[in-house]
Amino acid sequence: MTEVSSLTGRLLVATPALADPNFDRAVVLLLDYDEEGSLGVVLNRPTPVGVRDILGSWAGLTGEPDVVFQGGPVSLDSALGVAVIPGDEGPLGWRRVHGAIGLVDLETPPELLGPALGSLRIFAGYAGWGPGQLEGELGEGAWYVVESEPGDVSSPRPENLWRAVLRRQRSELAMIATYPDDPSLN
């Protein structure tokens, strides 16, 4: 069994067999993982809604595409900011999750964080699991667990992130990246 704290900051990559449509080919960044449950955001679900339409003061600080991402099926009316901030010290209003990746307090004035940001993504909602639920899904083979990279948060081509994350693995997982969207057409 993986040590409890070791999944925070890692990616959950949906296996082709995962049947839940909310997570079809999803890449989830785990922001919190402990005995009380898990919380993450889906990195590759852009919406057509612009950041300017929801959180206008943050719009100039987000990368391309400058849209809100659907972080998961839970609490779609709430917003989370995930940012990459290089260096050892993060500014006020930012909490380190893993490496250079952290959570932004969207109540903080953007001008305080703006100069420090390497990249920023805004997510509507999140993916959540109760105690033991994610472990059960991992045991069933629903997810691959891999290391995250700061560029995953701000990928300019989020529609390709599932394949890109799998392709960079130094194992048989790299071959999964070629799995067809519809295997029945093979």
Side-chain angles (χ1 to χ4, degrees):
M1 178 68 188
T2 305
E3 184 180 320
V4 167
S5 64
S6 66
L7 291 184
T8 297
R10 296 185 76 190
L11 297 177
L12 299 177
V13 180
T15 68
L18 183 60
D20 184 341
N22 290 306
F23 297 108
D24 182 42
R25 302 234 172 170
V27 177
V28 177
L29 172 65
L30 280 176
L31 301 171
D32 280 312
Y33 177 84
D34 60 27
E35 63 280 347
E36 295 178 21
S38 307
L39 179 137
V41 289
V42 179
L43 297 177
N44 58 335
R45 294 281 191 273
T47 72
V49 179
V51 173
R52 186 167 310 286
D53 299 331
I54 305 295
L55 293 167
S57 60
W58 290 97
L61 300 173
T62 58
E64 290 298 320
D66 189 19
V67 298
V68 175
F69 281 66
Q70 184 174 339
V74 182
S75 292
L76 292 173
D77 58 346
S78 65
L80 287 170
V82 177
V84 174
I85 296 186
D88 294 331
E89 295 296 318
L92 185 65
W94 180 79
R95 179 179 63 87
R96 185 176 314 279
V97 171
H98 178 76
I101 301 168
L103 283 167
V104 172
D105 177 355
L106 295 173
E107 299 295 320
T108 303
E111 55 273 5
L112 292 180
L113 283 166
L117 292 177
S119 65
L120 170 67
R121 273 275 148 81
I122 304 294
F123 297 90
Y126 62 90
W129 294 265
Q133 187 179 6
L134 179 56
E135 292 81 358
E137 291 181 15
L138 291 171
E140 293 167 3
W143 300 99
Y144 303 121
V145 179
V146 301
E147 294 298 322
S148 64
E149 294 181 2
D152 296 333
V153 172
S154 59
S155 173
R157 301 197 54 204
E159 67 278 2
N160 296 335
L161 190 60
W162 185 84
R163 290 186 193 283
V165 168
L166 289 171
R167 195 174 295 120
R168 75 177 182 229
Q169 302 309 307
R170 299 186 189 279
S171 67
E172 63 277 355
L173 284 182
M175 290 182 46
I176 303 294
T178 63
Y179 195 86
D181 292 335
D182 185 351
S184 68
L185 298 176
N186 245 355

